[in-house]
Amino acid sequence: MPEKLRENVCDDTVFSVIYKEYSNDLFKYLYYKFGEALGPNDKMQDAFMKLLDKCKDVTPAKAKSFLFTVANNMMLNEIKHQKVVLRYKEVKPKEYTNESPEFILEQEQFLKQYQEALSLLTEDQRVAFLLNKVEGKKQAEIAEMLGTTRKAIENRIYVAYNKLKNTLDGFK
């Protein structure tokens, strides 16, 4: 083999020799040290991919050390990740609220009344009102979006607000 091919592992034949020589040993090392749960075969493949990425910097003599170090670090990182996942699985969200059942019922009823009141508005009024109050858009922005004047949008929002105020109890 020419000397240039021995400087790094970028050549296909050199890489394939390294893969055939170390892949089985690397898999067994990861499997025996960390077990099947963390995917030793995937980490072995990933280590070879990293070797391929860094092929210009790694000589064939240092390839084994590089592969085992990278694969070991990948497995350790996976263990750390699994610990974080477990920690967040243990923290359960609370399944209760501080609101009374009456409050929750009133809230559902108000939402239903609000939706009915919105359906009574004309489409132009409803669109202008929701864009302004729900989306937080300014009247000039809404006018530009809908292709009308700011005064028309102002009027639509005002009329919609008054209709909702008259229809709903407690609407402010």
Side-chain angles (χ1 to χ4, degrees):
M1 221 180 252
E3 265 318 298
K4 286 191 174 183
L5 292 180
R6 295 180 181 266
E7 289 178 10
N8 59 46
V9 294
C10 289
D11 184 47
D12 290 340
T13 55
V14 174
F15 185 81
S16 118
V17 167
I18 289 172
Y19 184 84
K20 287 176 184 171
E21 189 172 337
Y22 299 128
S23 62
N24 197 26
D25 292 339
L26 182 57
F27 171 75
K28 287 178 183 176
Y29 168 75
L30 295 174
Y31 182 81
Y32 295 142
K33 185 170 182 180
F34 298 104
E36 180 64 32
L38 299 176
N41 193 40
D42 293 340
K43 299 300 185 264
M44 183 260 309
Q45 295 292 334
D46 290 344
F48 276 99
M49 292 300 293
K50 284 209 187 247
L51 176 63
L52 203 53
D53 290 342
K54 303 274 186 188
C55 68
K56 292 182 180 178
D57 302 332
V58 180
T59 63
K62 302 213 179 209
K64 181 177 181 180
S65 172
F66 178 86
L67 287 168
F68 278 74
T69 302
V70 166
N72 190 52
N73 288 341
M74 285 181 178
M75 291 299 260
L76 293 174
N77 288 341
E78 183 66 24
I79 289 171
K80 286 180 187 175
H81 175 71
Q82 293 299 325
K83 285 182 181 178
V84 169
V85 168
L86 272 175
R87 190 176 321 127
Y88 282 103
K89 278 186 180 177
E90 290 173 359
V91 176
K92 293 184 180 179
K94 62 180 186 176
E95 298 176 6
Y96 61 89
T97 62
N98 291 333
E99 289 87 17
S100 67
E102 293 85 16
F103 176 79
I104 295 172
L105 183 63
E106 286 176 16
Q107 188 178 21
E108 289 172 4
Q109 289 172 347
F110 182 79
L111 180 61
K112 205 177 285 184
Q113 289 173 352
Y114 179 67
Q115 289 172 342
E116 288 173 11
L118 281 176
S119 68
L120 297 175
L121 300 174
T122 67
E123 184 178 350
D124 292 336
Q125 292 169 346
R126 184 174 48 256
V127 168
F129 180 79
L130 291 175
L131 283 172
N132 182 256
K133 299 299 181 189
V134 176
E135 299 289 325
K137 303 244 185 250
K138 300 206 183 313
Q139 293 173 356
E141 290 178 275
I142 299 169
E144 187 177 317
M145 285 172 57
L146 300 178
T148 186
T149 64
R150 189 183 71 75
K151 214 48 166 159
I153 298 300
E154 186 178 309
N155 185 39
R156 290 176 190 172
I157 294 170
Y158 177 77
V159 171
Y161 183 77
N162 279 337
K163 282 185 180 179
L164 289 173
K165 193 166 114 178
N166 292 334
T167 307
L168 296 172
D169 295 334
F171 185 79
K172 294 181 181 178

